[in-house]
Amino acid sequence: MKSIIASSALVVLAVVQVALADNCNVGLIYCGSSLLGKGNYQPQIDQCIFDNHQSTQDNGASTLFQCAGGPNGVIQYLVNCGIGHCHDGGSGKNDTCV
Ligand SMILES: *[C@@H]1O[C@H](CO)[C@@H](O)[C@H](O)[C@H]1NC(C)=O
């Protein structure tokens, strides 16, 4: 019983931490650098890169992610464009590799 209470508390903490970031717009594609401009997305970017068994030279700033939505603004790994090759399409538009 005690461990159930403890793990529930951890879940609540995790949700609060993620909620600090401004959520991405569902379906839109973002460079990591664009996500960082929206809020505290670095932990999610790091987790997403790790979960997909990828690595980057710039902590995901030049990698494209698609916003899958959900309450935490979940992101999915798409592709690493390489440093200097991730283009910010602007507000409401998809970012792209160039
Ligand atoms: C962004 O890309 C996704 C996936 O290719 C597409 O479904 C969506 O319509 C695009 N959105 C815009 C605003 O171009």
Side-chain angles (χ1 to χ4, degrees):
M1 191 58 181
K2 224 176 195 166
S3 72
I4 292 174
I5 292 171
S7 52
S8 309
L10 276 180
V11 168
V12 170
L13 277 179
V15 169
V16 168
Q17 195 179 22
V18 169
L20 293 176
D22 207 11
N23 285 354
C24 55
N25 293 317
V26 179
L28 273 191
I29 295 167
Y30 295 90
C31 298
S33 53
S34 301
L35 288 171
L36 291 173
K38 294 184 88 59
N40 179 29
Y41 258 98
Q42 192 67 59
Q44 266 173 281
I45 288 172
D46 293 344
Q47 186 70 46
C48 189
I49 290 169
F50 179 82
D51 288 347
N52 285 277
H53 312 290
Q54 304 291 328
S55 65
T56 72
Q57 304 76 37
D58 60 355
N59 298 316
S62 309
T63 296
L64 287 177
F65 300 90
Q66 186 161 23
C67 184
N72 304 336
V74 172
I75 51 170
Q76 287 172 343
Y77 185 94
L78 290 181
V79 64
N80 181 2
C81 300
I83 293 173
H85 296 286
C86 206
H87 174 71
D88 183 351
S91 177
K93 302 242 178 71
N94 283 329
D95 292 349
T96 51
C97 284
V98 290

PDB file of all heavy atoms in Angstrom, residues 37-76:
ATOM      1  N   GLY A  37      12.196  26.769 -27.892  1.00  0.00           N
ATOM      2  CA  GLY A  37      11.700  28.139 -27.853  1.00  0.00           C
ATOM      3  C   GLY A  37      10.306  28.226 -27.234  1.00  0.00           C
ATOM      4  O   GLY A  37       9.902  29.282 -26.760  1.00  0.00           O
ATOM      5  N   LYS A  38       9.566  27.115 -27.267  1.00  0.00           N
ATOM      6  CA  LYS A  38       8.211  27.103 -26.707  1.00  0.00           C
ATOM      7  C   LYS A  38       8.214  26.920 -25.200  1.00  0.00           C
ATOM      8  O   LYS A  38       7.271  27.324 -24.533  1.00  0.00           O
ATOM      9  CB  LYS A  38       7.395  25.944 -27.303  1.00  0.00           C
ATOM     10  CG  LYS A  38       7.111  26.076 -28.774  1.00  0.00           C
ATOM     11  CD  LYS A  38       6.226  24.944 -29.248  1.00  0.00           C
ATOM     12  CE  LYS A  38       4.750  25.251 -29.098  1.00  0.00           C
ATOM     13  NZ  LYS A  38       4.324  26.445 -29.824  1.00  0.00           N
ATOM     14  N   GLY A  39       9.222  26.237 -24.707  1.00  0.00           N
ATOM     15  CA  GLY A  39       9.232  25.967 -23.271  1.00  0.00           C
ATOM     16  C   GLY A  39      10.310  24.973 -22.906  1.00  0.00           C
ATOM     17  O   GLY A  39      11.233  24.728 -23.680  1.00  0.00           O
ATOM     18  N   ASN A  40      10.140  24.359 -21.765  1.00  0.00           N
ATOM     19  CA  ASN A  40      11.156  23.456 -21.232  1.00  0.00           C
ATOM     20  C   ASN A  40      11.030  22.060 -21.838  1.00  0.00           C
ATOM     21  O   ASN A  40      10.646  21.105 -21.174  1.00  0.00           O
ATOM     22  CB  ASN A  40      10.994  23.393 -19.702  1.00  0.00           C
ATOM     23  CG  ASN A  40      11.994  22.462 -19.063  1.00  0.00           C
ATOM     24  OD1 ASN A  40      13.083  22.266 -19.578  1.00  0.00           O
ATOM     25  ND2 ASN A  40      11.621  21.872 -17.942  1.00  0.00           N
ATOM     26  N   TYR A  41      11.337  21.967 -23.131  1.00  0.00           N
ATOM     27  CA  TYR A  41      11.175  20.695 -23.841  1.00  0.00           C
ATOM     28  C   TYR A  41      12.417  19.804 -23.798  1.00  0.00           C
ATOM     29  O   TYR A  41      12.382  18.680 -24.272  1.00  0.00           O
ATOM     30  CB  TYR A  41      10.796  20.945 -25.304  1.00  0.00           C
ATOM     31  CG  TYR A  41       9.320  20.723 -25.569  1.00  0.00           C
ATOM     32  CD1 TYR A  41       8.432  21.782 -25.595  1.00  0.00           C
ATOM     33  CD2 TYR A  41       8.823  19.438 -25.775  1.00  0.00           C
ATOM     34  CE1 TYR A  41       7.082  21.580 -25.830  1.00  0.00           C
ATOM     35  CE2 TYR A  41       7.481  19.225 -26.012  1.00  0.00           C
ATOM     36  CZ  TYR A  41       6.611  20.295 -26.036  1.00  0.00           C
ATOM     37  OH  TYR A  41       5.280  20.090 -26.266  1.00  0.00           O
ATOM     38  N   GLN A  42      13.531  20.305 -23.265  1.00  0.00           N
ATOM     39  CA  GLN A  42      14.774  19.522 -23.339  1.00  0.00           C
ATOM     40  C   GLN A  42      14.645  18.120 -22.725  1.00  0.00           C
ATOM     41  O   GLN A  42      15.104  17.152 -23.333  1.00  0.00           O
ATOM     42  CB  GLN A  42      15.936  20.288 -22.693  1.00  0.00           C
ATOM     43  CG  GLN A  42      17.307  19.668 -23.003  1.00  0.00           C
ATOM     44  CD  GLN A  42      17.670  19.787 -24.489  1.00  0.00           C
ATOM     45  OE1 GLN A  42      17.745  20.877 -25.026  1.00  0.00           O
ATOM     46  NE2 GLN A  42      17.860  18.646 -25.163  1.00  0.00           N
ATOM     47  N   PRO A  43      14.010  17.982 -21.544  1.00  0.00           N
ATOM     48  CA  PRO A  43      13.896  16.610 -20.990  1.00  0.00           C
ATOM     49  C   PRO A  43      13.118  15.673 -21.910  1.00  0.00           C
ATOM     50  O   PRO A  43      13.486  14.507 -22.069  1.00  0.00           O
ATOM     51  CB  PRO A  43      13.138  16.825 -19.673  1.00  0.00           C
ATOM     52  CG  PRO A  43      13.387  18.252 -19.303  1.00  0.00           C
ATOM     53  CD  PRO A  43      13.499  18.994 -20.613  1.00  0.00           C
ATOM     54  N   GLN A  44      12.055  16.165 -22.550  1.00  0.00           N
ATOM     55  CA  GLN A  44      11.265  15.326 -23.460  1.00  0.00           C
ATOM     56  C   GLN A  44      12.055  15.010 -24.722  1.00  0.00           C
ATOM     57  O   GLN A  44      11.963  13.915 -25.270  1.00  0.00           O
ATOM     58  CB  GLN A  44       9.969  16.032 -23.845  1.00  0.00           C
ATOM     59  CG  GLN A  44       8.800  15.656 -22.960  1.00  0.00           C
ATOM     60  CD  GLN A  44       7.596  16.501 -23.290  1.00  0.00           C
ATOM     61  OE1 GLN A  44       7.511  17.641 -22.871  1.00  0.00           O
ATOM     62  NE2 GLN A  44       6.682  15.947 -24.041  1.00  0.00           N
ATOM     63  N   ILE A  45      12.814  15.992 -25.215  1.00  0.00           N
ATOM     64  CA  ILE A  45      13.652  15.776 -26.400  1.00  0.00           C
ATOM     65  C   ILE A  45      14.693  14.702 -26.097  1.00  0.00           C
ATOM     66  O   ILE A  45      14.864  13.753 -26.864  1.00  0.00           O
ATOM     67  CB  ILE A  45      14.333  17.098 -26.822  1.00  0.00           C
ATOM     68  CG1 ILE A  45      13.291  18.047 -27.428  1.00  0.00           C
ATOM     69  CG2 ILE A  45      15.472  16.842 -27.806  1.00  0.00           C
ATOM     70  CD1 ILE A  45      13.820  19.448 -27.712  1.00  0.00           C
ATOM     71  N   ASP A  46      15.348  14.816 -24.950  1.00  0.00           N
ATOM     72  CA  ASP A  46      16.375  13.838 -24.557  1.00  0.00           C
ATOM     73  C   ASP A  46      15.763  12.444 -24.464  1.00  0.00           C
ATOM     74  O   ASP A  46      16.326  11.466 -24.965  1.00  0.00           O
ATOM     75  CB  ASP A  46      16.984  14.212 -23.201  1.00  0.00           C
ATOM     76  CG  ASP A  46      17.799  15.493 -23.262  1.00  0.00           C
ATOM     77  OD1 ASP A  46      18.151  15.922 -24.374  1.00  0.00           O
ATOM     78  OD2 ASP A  46      18.076  16.060 -22.189  1.00  0.00           O
ATOM     79  N   GLN A  47      14.596  12.355 -23.830  1.00  0.00           N
ATOM     80  CA  GLN A  47      13.915  11.067 -23.646  1.00  0.00           C
ATOM     81  C   GLN A  47      13.529  10.471 -24.990  1.00  0.00           C
ATOM     82  O   GLN A  47      13.714   9.280 -25.244  1.00  0.00           O
ATOM     83  CB  GLN A  47      12.665  11.281 -22.776  1.00  0.00           C
ATOM     84  CG  GLN A  47      11.953   9.987 -22.399  1.00  0.00           C
ATOM     85  CD  GLN A  47      12.764   9.170 -21.409  1.00  0.00           C
ATOM     86  OE1 GLN A  47      13.266   9.714 -20.436  1.00  0.00           O
ATOM     87  NE2 GLN A  47      12.926   7.883 -21.672  1.00  0.00           N
ATOM     88  N   CYS A  48      13.018  11.319 -25.887  1.00  0.00           N
ATOM     89  CA  CYS A  48      12.560  10.875 -27.196  1.00  0.00           C
ATOM     90  C   CYS A  48      13.732  10.335 -28.024  1.00  0.00           C
ATOM     91  O   CYS A  48      13.617   9.297 -28.680  1.00  0.00           O
ATOM     92  CB  CYS A  48      11.892  12.050 -27.896  1.00  0.00           C
ATOM     93  SG  CYS A  48      11.045  11.608 -29.401  1.00  0.00           S
ATOM     94  N   ILE A  49      14.865  11.026 -27.990  1.00  0.00           N
ATOM     95  CA  ILE A  49      16.054  10.589 -28.721  1.00  0.00           C
ATOM     96  C   ILE A  49      16.543   9.255 -28.153  1.00  0.00           C
ATOM     97  O   ILE A  49      16.838   8.313 -28.896  1.00  0.00           O
ATOM     98  CB  ILE A  49      17.150  11.670 -28.647  1.00  0.00           C
ATOM     99  CG1 ILE A  49      16.730  12.881 -29.487  1.00  0.00           C
ATOM    100  CG2 ILE A  49      18.499  11.128 -29.118  1.00  0.00           C
ATOM    101  CD1 ILE A  49      17.609  14.098 -29.286  1.00  0.00           C
ATOM    102  N   PHE A  50      16.560   9.162 -26.836  1.00  0.00           N
ATOM    103  CA  PHE A  50      16.993   7.932 -26.160  1.00  0.00           C
ATOM    104  C   PHE A  50      16.068   6.769 -26.498  1.00  0.00           C
ATOM    105  O   PHE A  50      16.528   5.683 -26.862  1.00  0.00           O
ATOM    106  CB  PHE A  50      17.031   8.176 -24.647  1.00  0.00           C
ATOM    107  CG  PHE A  50      17.437   6.976 -23.854  1.00  0.00           C
ATOM    108  CD1 PHE A  50      18.782   6.653 -23.697  1.00  0.00           C
ATOM    109  CD2 PHE A  50      16.483   6.158 -23.266  1.00  0.00           C
ATOM    110  CE1 PHE A  50      19.153   5.530 -22.965  1.00  0.00           C
ATOM    111  CE2 PHE A  50      16.846   5.033 -22.533  1.00  0.00           C
ATOM    112  CZ  PHE A  50      18.192   4.713 -22.386  1.00  0.00           C
ATOM    113  N   ASP A  51      14.751   6.998 -26.418  1.00  0.00           N
ATOM    114  CA  ASP A  51      13.766   5.946 -26.680  1.00  0.00           C
ATOM    115  C   ASP A  51      13.875   5.412 -28.111  1.00  0.00           C
ATOM    116  O   ASP A  51      13.511   4.273 -28.385  1.00  0.00           O
ATOM    117  CB  ASP A  51      12.340   6.462 -26.461  1.00  0.00           C
ATOM    118  CG  ASP A  51      12.023   6.670 -24.986  1.00  0.00           C
ATOM    119  OD1 ASP A  51      12.799   6.198 -24.134  1.00  0.00           O
ATOM    120  OD2 ASP A  51      10.991   7.315 -24.693  1.00  0.00           O
ATOM    121  N   ASN A  52      14.330   6.253 -29.043  1.00  0.00           N
ATOM    122  CA  ASN A  52      14.444   5.848 -30.444  1.00  0.00           C
ATOM    123  C   ASN A  52      15.855   5.376 -30.792  1.00  0.00           C
ATOM    124  O   ASN A  52      16.174   5.208 -31.966  1.00  0.00           O
ATOM    125  CB  ASN A  52      14.009   6.997 -31.350  1.00  0.00           C
ATOM    126  CG  ASN A  52      12.500   7.161 -31.345  1.00  0.00           C
ATOM    127  OD1 ASN A  52      11.788   6.472 -32.061  1.00  0.00           O
ATOM    128  ND2 ASN A  52      11.994   8.049 -30.501  1.00  0.00           N
ATOM    129  N   HIS A  53      16.690   5.207 -29.768  1.00  0.00           N
ATOM    130  CA  HIS A  53      18.054   4.704 -29.938  1.00  0.00           C
ATOM    131  C   HIS A  53      18.847   5.575 -30.912  1.00  0.00           C
ATOM    132  O   HIS A  53      19.580   5.058 -31.757  1.00  0.00           O
ATOM    133  CB  HIS A  53      18.039   3.246 -30.425  1.00  0.00           C
ATOM    134  CG  HIS A  53      17.115   2.377 -29.625  1.00  0.00           C
ATOM    135  ND1 HIS A  53      17.370   2.018 -28.322  1.00  0.00           N
ATOM    136  CD2 HIS A  53      15.906   1.845 -29.922  1.00  0.00           C
ATOM    137  CE1 HIS A  53      16.365   1.294 -27.862  1.00  0.00           C
ATOM    138  NE2 HIS A  53      15.457   1.173 -28.814  1.00  0.00           N
ATOM    139  N   GLN A  54      18.644   6.895 -30.806  1.00  0.00           N
ATOM    140  CA  GLN A  54      19.356   7.827 -31.664  1.00  0.00           C
ATOM    141  C   GLN A  54      20.334   8.628 -30.823  1.00  0.00           C
ATOM    142  O   GLN A  54      20.274   8.601 -29.582  1.00  0.00           O
ATOM    143  CB  GLN A  54      18.367   8.793 -32.331  1.00  0.00           C
ATOM    144  CG  GLN A  54      17.265   8.126 -33.116  1.00  0.00           C
ATOM    145  CD  GLN A  54      17.774   7.439 -34.367  1.00  0.00           C
ATOM    146  OE1 GLN A  54      18.745   7.883 -34.972  1.00  0.00           O
ATOM    147  NE2 GLN A  54      17.133   6.358 -34.758  1.00  0.00           N
ATOM    148  N   SER A  55      21.214   9.358 -31.502  1.00  0.00           N
ATOM    149  CA  SER A  55      22.060  10.308 -30.797  1.00  0.00           C
ATOM    150  C   SER A  55      22.250  11.501 -31.721  1.00  0.00           C
ATOM    151  O   SER A  55      22.113  11.381 -32.934  1.00  0.00           O
ATOM    152  CB  SER A  55      23.404   9.688 -30.434  1.00  0.00           C
ATOM    153  OG  SER A  55      24.116   9.383 -31.598  1.00  0.00           O
ATOM    154  N   THR A  56      22.491  12.663 -31.147  1.00  0.00           N
ATOM    155  CA  THR A  56      22.697  13.861 -31.954  1.00  0.00           C
ATOM    156  C   THR A  56      23.918  14.595 -31.417  1.00  0.00           C
ATOM    157  O   THR A  56      24.383  14.317 -30.319  1.00  0.00           O
ATOM    158  CB  THR A  56      21.474  14.814 -31.902  1.00  0.00           C
ATOM    159  OG1 THR A  56      21.432  15.421 -30.613  1.00  0.00           O
ATOM    160  CG2 THR A  56      20.170  14.072 -32.160  1.00  0.00           C
ATOM    161  N   GLN A  57      24.414  15.531 -32.213  1.00  0.00           N
ATOM    162  CA  GLN A  57      25.597  16.290 -31.814  1.00  0.00           C
ATOM    163  C   GLN A  57      25.201  17.545 -31.040  1.00  0.00           C
ATOM    164  O   GLN A  57      26.049  18.243 -30.504  1.00  0.00           O
ATOM    165  CB  GLN A  57      26.412  16.718 -33.030  1.00  0.00           C
ATOM    166  CG  GLN A  57      26.861  15.584 -33.944  1.00  0.00           C
ATOM    167  CD  GLN A  57      25.728  15.049 -34.811  1.00  0.00           C
ATOM    168  OE1 GLN A  57      24.882  15.779 -35.283  1.00  0.00           O
ATOM    169  NE2 GLN A  57      25.698  13.732 -35.010  1.00  0.00           N
ATOM    170  N   ASP A  58      23.908  17.866 -31.057  1.00  0.00           N
ATOM    171  CA  ASP A  58      23.480  19.137 -30.462  1.00  0.00           C
ATOM    172  C   ASP A  58      22.244  18.985 -29.568  1.00  0.00           C
ATOM    173  O   ASP A  58      21.398  19.872 -29.519  1.00  0.00           O
ATOM    174  CB  ASP A  58      23.212  20.151 -31.575  1.00  0.00           C
ATOM    175  CG  ASP A  58      22.131  19.678 -32.537  1.00  0.00           C
ATOM    176  OD1 ASP A  58      21.661  18.533 -32.381  1.00  0.00           O
ATOM    177  OD2 ASP A  58      21.749  20.453 -33.416  1.00  0.00           O
ATOM    178  N   ASN A  59      22.152  17.851 -28.890  1.00  0.00           N
ATOM    179  CA  ASN A  59      21.042  17.603 -27.957  1.00  0.00           C
ATOM    180  C   ASN A  59      19.675  17.737 -28.615  1.00  0.00           C
ATOM    181  O   ASN A  59      18.708  18.131 -27.968  1.00  0.00           O
ATOM    182  CB  ASN A  59      21.133  18.527 -26.742  1.00  0.00           C
ATOM    183  CG  ASN A  59      22.397  18.298 -25.937  1.00  0.00           C
ATOM    184  OD1 ASN A  59      22.772  17.154 -25.691  1.00  0.00           O
ATOM    185  ND2 ASN A  59      23.061  19.363 -25.559  1.00  0.00           N
ATOM    186  N   GLY A  60      19.602  17.424 -29.908  1.00  0.00           N
ATOM    187  CA  GLY A  60      18.303  17.390 -30.580  1.00  0.00           C
ATOM    188  C   GLY A  60      17.851  18.702 -31.180  1.00  0.00           C
ATOM    189  O   GLY A  60      16.783  18.764 -31.786  1.00  0.00           O
ATOM    190  N   ALA A  61      18.652  19.762 -31.081  1.00  0.00           N
ATOM    191  CA  ALA A  61      18.212  21.071 -31.600  1.00  0.00           C
ATOM    192  C   ALA A  61      17.941  21.030 -33.100  1.00  0.00           C
ATOM    193  O   ALA A  61      17.016  21.685 -33.582  1.00  0.00           O
ATOM    194  CB  ALA A  61      19.254  22.139 -31.269  1.00  0.00           C
ATOM    195  N   SER A  62      18.712  20.234 -33.861  1.00  0.00           N
ATOM    196  CA  SER A  62      18.561  20.169 -35.320  1.00  0.00           C
ATOM    197  C   SER A  62      17.829  18.903 -35.768  1.00  0.00           C
ATOM    198  O   SER A  62      17.967  18.470 -36.909  1.00  0.00           O
ATOM    199  CB  SER A  62      19.932  20.206 -35.991  1.00  0.00           C
ATOM    200  OG  SER A  62      20.683  21.282 -35.507  1.00  0.00           O
ATOM    201  N   THR A  63      17.069  18.313 -34.855  1.00  0.00           N
ATOM    202  CA  THR A  63      16.308  17.102 -35.166  1.00  0.00           C
ATOM    203  C   THR A  63      14.835  17.452 -35.292  1.00  0.00           C
ATOM    204  O   THR A  63      14.335  18.296 -34.549  1.00  0.00           O
ATOM    205  CB  THR A  63      16.533  16.056 -34.047  1.00  0.00           C
ATOM    206  OG1 THR A  63      17.902  15.678 -34.042  1.00  0.00           O
ATOM    207  CG2 THR A  63      15.662  14.822 -34.240  1.00  0.00           C
ATOM    208  N   LEU A  64      14.139  16.828 -36.253  1.00  0.00           N
ATOM    209  CA  LEU A  64      12.707  17.075 -36.416  1.00  0.00           C
ATOM    210  C   LEU A  64      11.904  16.121 -35.539  1.00  0.00           C
ATOM    211  O   LEU A  64      12.193  14.917 -35.481  1.00  0.00           O
ATOM    212  CB  LEU A  64      12.286  16.872 -37.878  1.00  0.00           C
ATOM    213  CG  LEU A  64      12.698  17.937 -38.882  1.00  0.00           C
ATOM    214  CD1 LEU A  64      12.243  17.520 -40.287  1.00  0.00           C
ATOM    215  CD2 LEU A  64      12.123  19.301 -38.527  1.00  0.00           C
ATOM    216  N   PHE A  65      10.894  16.690 -34.889  1.00  0.00           N
ATOM    217  CA  PHE A  65       9.963  15.917 -34.072  1.00  0.00           C
ATOM    218  C   PHE A  65       8.555  16.273 -34.511  1.00  0.00           C
ATOM    219  O   PHE A  65       8.291  17.409 -34.901  1.00  0.00           O
ATOM    220  CB  PHE A  65      10.110  16.285 -32.589  1.00  0.00           C
ATOM    221  CG  PHE A  65      11.475  16.026 -32.025  1.00  0.00           C
ATOM    222  CD1 PHE A  65      12.455  17.020 -32.068  1.00  0.00           C
ATOM    223  CD2 PHE A  65      11.789  14.799 -31.455  1.00  0.00           C
ATOM    224  CE1 PHE A  65      13.724  16.780 -31.549  1.00  0.00           C
ATOM    225  CE2 PHE A  65      13.049  14.563 -30.943  1.00  0.00           C
ATOM    226  CZ  PHE A  65      14.026  15.554 -30.985  1.00  0.00           C
ATOM    227  N   GLN A  66       7.638  15.304 -34.450  1.00  0.00           N
ATOM    228  CA  GLN A  66       6.243  15.634 -34.723  1.00  0.00           C
ATOM    229  C   GLN A  66       5.472  15.658 -33.410  1.00  0.00           C
ATOM    230  O   GLN A  66       5.625  14.767 -32.562  1.00  0.00           O
ATOM    231  CB  GLN A  66       5.606  14.620 -35.676  1.00  0.00           C
ATOM    232  CG  GLN A  66       4.186  15.058 -36.065  1.00  0.00           C
ATOM    233  CD  GLN A  66       3.674  14.382 -37.323  1.00  0.00           C
ATOM    234  OE1 GLN A  66       4.146  13.319 -37.680  1.00  0.00           O
ATOM    235  NE2 GLN A  66       2.723  15.003 -37.985  1.00  0.00           N
ATOM    236  N   CYS A  67       4.655  16.667 -33.267  1.00  0.00           N
ATOM    237  CA  CYS A  67       3.843  16.811 -32.063  1.00  0.00           C
ATOM    238  C   CYS A  67       2.675  15.836 -32.132  1.00  0.00           C
ATOM    239  O   CYS A  67       1.842  15.920 -33.030  1.00  0.00           O
ATOM    240  CB  CYS A  67       3.332  18.240 -31.969  1.00  0.00           C
ATOM    241  SG  CYS A  67       2.404  18.552 -30.467  1.00  0.00           S
ATOM    242  N   ALA A  68       2.646  14.909 -31.176  1.00  0.00           N
ATOM    243  CA  ALA A  68       1.581  13.905 -31.166  1.00  0.00           C
ATOM    244  C   ALA A  68       0.449  14.323 -30.234  1.00  0.00           C
ATOM    245  O   ALA A  68      -0.559  13.635 -30.135  1.00  0.00           O
ATOM    246  CB  ALA A  68       2.147  12.560 -30.744  1.00  0.00           C
ATOM    247  N   GLY A  69       0.629  15.435 -29.554  1.00  0.00           N
ATOM    248  CA  GLY A  69      -0.430  15.970 -28.698  1.00  0.00           C
ATOM    249  C   GLY A  69      -0.545  15.274 -27.367  1.00  0.00           C
ATOM    250  O   GLY A  69       0.445  14.827 -26.815  1.00  0.00           O
ATOM    251  N   GLY A  70      -1.753  15.173 -26.871  1.00  0.00           N
ATOM    252  CA  GLY A  70      -1.957  14.640 -25.535  1.00  0.00           C
ATOM    253  C   GLY A  70      -1.758  15.750 -24.521  1.00  0.00           C
ATOM    254  O   GLY A  70      -1.291  16.837 -24.880  1.00  0.00           O
ATOM    255  N   PRO A  71      -2.100  15.484 -23.273  1.00  0.00           N
ATOM    256  CA  PRO A  71      -2.059  16.521 -22.237  1.00  0.00           C
ATOM    257  C   PRO A  71      -0.658  17.092 -22.011  1.00  0.00           C
ATOM    258  O   PRO A  71      -0.506  18.221 -21.597  1.00  0.00           O
ATOM    259  CB  PRO A  71      -2.574  15.812 -20.983  1.00  0.00           C
ATOM    260  CG  PRO A  71      -2.471  14.349 -21.274  1.00  0.00           C
ATOM    261  CD  PRO A  71      -2.589  14.195 -22.761  1.00  0.00           C
ATOM    262  N   ASN A  72       0.392  16.309 -22.333  1.00  0.00           N
ATOM    263  CA  ASN A  72       1.754  16.778 -22.062  1.00  0.00           C
ATOM    264  C   ASN A  72       2.456  17.272 -23.317  1.00  0.00           C
ATOM    265  O   ASN A  72       3.651  17.546 -23.289  1.00  0.00           O
ATOM    266  CB  ASN A  72       2.588  15.661 -21.436  1.00  0.00           C
ATOM    267  CG  ASN A  72       1.949  15.110 -20.186  1.00  0.00           C
ATOM    268  OD1 ASN A  72       1.165  15.799 -19.539  1.00  0.00           O
ATOM    269  ND2 ASN A  72       2.261  13.882 -19.862  1.00  0.00           N
ATOM    270  N   GLY A  73       1.754  17.368 -24.442  1.00  0.00           N
ATOM    271  CA  GLY A  73       2.409  17.786 -25.672  1.00  0.00           C
ATOM    272  C   GLY A  73       3.473  16.798 -26.085  1.00  0.00           C
ATOM    273  O   GLY A  73       4.607  17.152 -26.379  1.00  0.00           O
ATOM    274  N   VAL A  74       3.118  15.517 -26.127  1.00  0.00           N
ATOM    275  CA  VAL A  74       4.070  14.444 -26.428  1.00  0.00           C
ATOM    276  C   VAL A  74       4.638  14.621 -27.833  1.00  0.00           C
ATOM    277  O   VAL A  74       3.928  15.018 -28.753  1.00  0.00           O
ATOM    278  CB  VAL A  74       3.380  13.069 -26.307  1.00  0.00           C
ATOM    279  CG1 VAL A  74       4.282  11.954 -26.803  1.00  0.00           C
ATOM    280  CG2 VAL A  74       2.973  12.824 -24.870  1.00  0.00           C
ATOM    281  N   ILE A  75       5.937  14.322 -27.989  1.00  0.00           N
ATOM    282  CA  ILE A  75       6.590  14.444 -29.291  1.00  0.00           C
ATOM    283  C   ILE A  75       7.108  13.094 -29.771  1.00  0.00           C
ATOM    284  O   ILE A  75       7.436  12.234 -28.961  1.00  0.00           O
ATOM    285  CB  ILE A  75       7.756  15.459 -29.250  1.00  0.00           C
ATOM    286  CG1 ILE A  75       8.715  15.154 -28.097  1.00  0.00           C
ATOM    287  CG2 ILE A  75       7.218  16.879 -29.168  1.00  0.00           C
ATOM    288  CD1 ILE A  75      10.006  15.947 -28.133  1.00  0.00           C
ATOM    289  N   GLN A  76       7.156  12.926 -31.102  1.00  0.00           N
ATOM    290  CA  GLN A  76       7.689  11.706 -31.715  1.00  0.00           C
ATOM    291  C   GLN A  76       8.917  12.047 -32.548  1.00  0.00           C
ATOM    292  O   GLN A  76       8.935  13.063 -33.235  1.00  0.00           O
ATOM    293  CB  GLN A  76       6.631  11.062 -32.619  1.00  0.00           C
ATOM    294  CG  GLN A  76       5.527  10.405 -31.823  1.00  0.00           C
ATOM    295  CD  GLN A  76       4.391   9.933 -32.703  1.00  0.00           C
ATOM    296  OE1 GLN A  76       4.267  10.347 -33.845  1.00  0.00           O
ATOM    297  NE2 GLN A  76       3.564   9.064 -32.157  1.00  0.00           N
TER     298      GLN A  76
END
